[in-house]
Amino acid sequence: MKENKIYGRARGCRRVVTVLFGAAFFTLHSSLFTSCTDYLDKTADSDVNPEMAFMNFQNFQGFVEEAYNCIPNKESNWYCTGFNWGEDELMNTGGGDAHTVAHIDLGDYRYWYTDNSQNYLHRPSINSTSNNKFDHSLEHAWYCIRKMNLGLENIDKLTNATQEEKNFIKGQLLFFRAWWHLEQMIWFGGLPYVDHVIPADGPFDLPRLSFQEAAQKAAEDFRAAADLLPDNWENTATGKRTPLKNDLRITKVCALGYMGKALLWAASPLNELGA
């Protein structure tokens, strides 16, 4: 009888322990589940309206500024991309093949992309918002072209701005769309000229243009940009909002200069075949 009482107490203890453990597990599981739910829930303030980038000049200018930041610093990168200097100007005297010119002779035409060297055509890693001059290369081109097209397609949303501010924004968008195309054309010849936003899930079936055809489109964008941009930002009401910080902003003269460059390259005998 005594043994049965002990056994009954032990069995009862096990039931109590089981119930307590189950309750503790349920409480722990519930708290974890609740914390996860709280973590994943978004507050209303966390939703960013994509149209905020286009609502006023300050926001829209910030949208454009990334294209400035993406410009490769050619002088601060290695000159390994030079493929047409000729061995009379540059030789690999150290026994290595660090320069692209040697690999062109060997038939390795993609060395500029695969050597992981510090050149401005290709970087092992790029970051469009980085302040490190070595984080930028020509690989930013299609990203920036898409961004400029996105800005142009939303230019009518810039309602809280003066006409001068609207002109300056549109002029910069047109300039950089042309500039990034031209920079690629100089190295790769004629290519598709993307003048609209291509949906991420849409087909990419634009034809490859000849150098002359692509250069003409770039020249038209440069010309249109020049008509909208100032000679000197400091002498405008818009530029006076950022005094002494406008030296590197795109101007009318800059746009006209690149228009001339695009047409000059297109007229070169080297591009007679539309390469």
Side-chain angles (χ1 to χ4, degrees), residues 86-107:
E87 284 82 350
D88 54 335
E89 294 186 35
L90 178 65
M91 289 288 291
N92 288 296
T93 56
D97 293 323
H99 301 112
T100 303
V101 61
H103 288 265
I104 295 297
D105 291 341
L106 298 172

Side-chain angles (χ1 to χ4, degrees), residues 37-248:
T37 302
D38 292 341
Y39 177 77
L40 292 175
D41 284 344
K42 296 191 305 178
T43 63
D45 294 338
S46 66
D47 290 325
V48 178
N49 185 348
E51 295 188 4
M52 288 186 64
F54 315 118
M55 64 183 296
N56 56 43
F57 175 78
Q58 182 175 353
N59 289 13
F60 215 138
Q61 183 62 33
F63 176 87
V64 177
E65 291 290 341
E66 193 174 11
Y68 284 92
N69 192 58
C70 286
I71 296 175
N73 189 332
K74 300 178 182 180
E75 293 184 358
S76 296
N77 286 269
W78 289 93
Y79 48 88
C80 298
T81 53
F83 66 88
N84 58 351
W85 290 343
E87 284 82 350
D88 54 335
E89 294 186 35
L90 178 65
M91 289 288 291
N92 288 296
T93 56
D97 293 323
H99 301 112
T100 303
V101 61
H103 288 265
I104 295 297
D105 291 341
L106 298 172
D108 184 6
Y109 301 112
R110 286 182 58 82
Y111 177 75
W112 63 269
Y113 187 84
T114 59
D115 70 337
N116 289 325
S117 65
Q118 309 295 324
N119 70 73
Y120 78 93
L121 294 181
H122 165 69
R123 305 291 300 176
S125 63
I126 57 174
N127 181 351
S128 62
T129 61
S130 174
N131 292 324
N132 186 338
K133 61 189 177 183
F134 289 113
D135 286 342
H136 303 294
S137 77
L138 194 58
E139 291 170 295
H140 285 309
W142 292 119
Y143 169 79
C144 288
I145 289 170
R146 186 183 191 279
K147 187 166 187 175
M148 298 305 101
N149 282 327
L150 185 63
L152 288 166
E153 292 187 7
N154 286 277
I155 194 69
D156 291 338
K157 295 177 181 177
L158 181 58
T159 56
N160 184 17
T162 66
Q163 188 59 51
E164 181 182 79
E165 290 172 339
K166 293 178 182 178
N167 289 345
F168 290 5
I169 291 292
K170 187 174 181 180
Q172 291 174 96
L173 293 170
L174 288 167
F175 175 88
F176 277 116
R177 181 170 73 180
W179 189 86
W180 285 103
H181 276 101
L182 180 60
E183 284 294 300
Q184 292 190 100
M185 291 159 53
I186 289 172
W187 282 94
F188 309 124
L191 39 73
Y193 199 88
V194 183
D195 58 3
H196 61 279
V197 176
I198 300 176
D201 58 351
F204 183 83
D205 54 2
L206 297 177
R208 180 171 185 175
L209 305 178
S210 68
F211 192 101
Q212 288 83 0
E213 291 170 332
Q216 183 61 43
K217 287 184 175 292
E220 292 171 1
D221 275 351
F222 284 132
R223 175 69 264 184
D227 292 339
L228 297 168
L229 293 169
D231 294 319
N232 187 337
W233 282 67
E234 294 287 339
N235 297 333
T236 66
T238 303
K240 291 184 185 303
R241 297 174 58 180
T242 53
L244 304 180
K245 296 181 180 179
N246 301 307
D247 288 347
L248 299 180

Side-chain angles (χ1 to χ4, degrees), residues 182 185-186 210-217 219 258-275:
L182 180 60
M185 291 159 53
I186 289 172
S210 68
F211 192 101
Q212 288 83 0
E213 291 170 332
Q216 183 61 43
K217 287 184 175 292
Y258 272 101
M259 181 186 74
K261 181 176 182 177
L263 296 175
L264 182 64
W265 278 63
S268 170
L270 296 175
N271 289 312
E272 285 182 358
L273 299 178

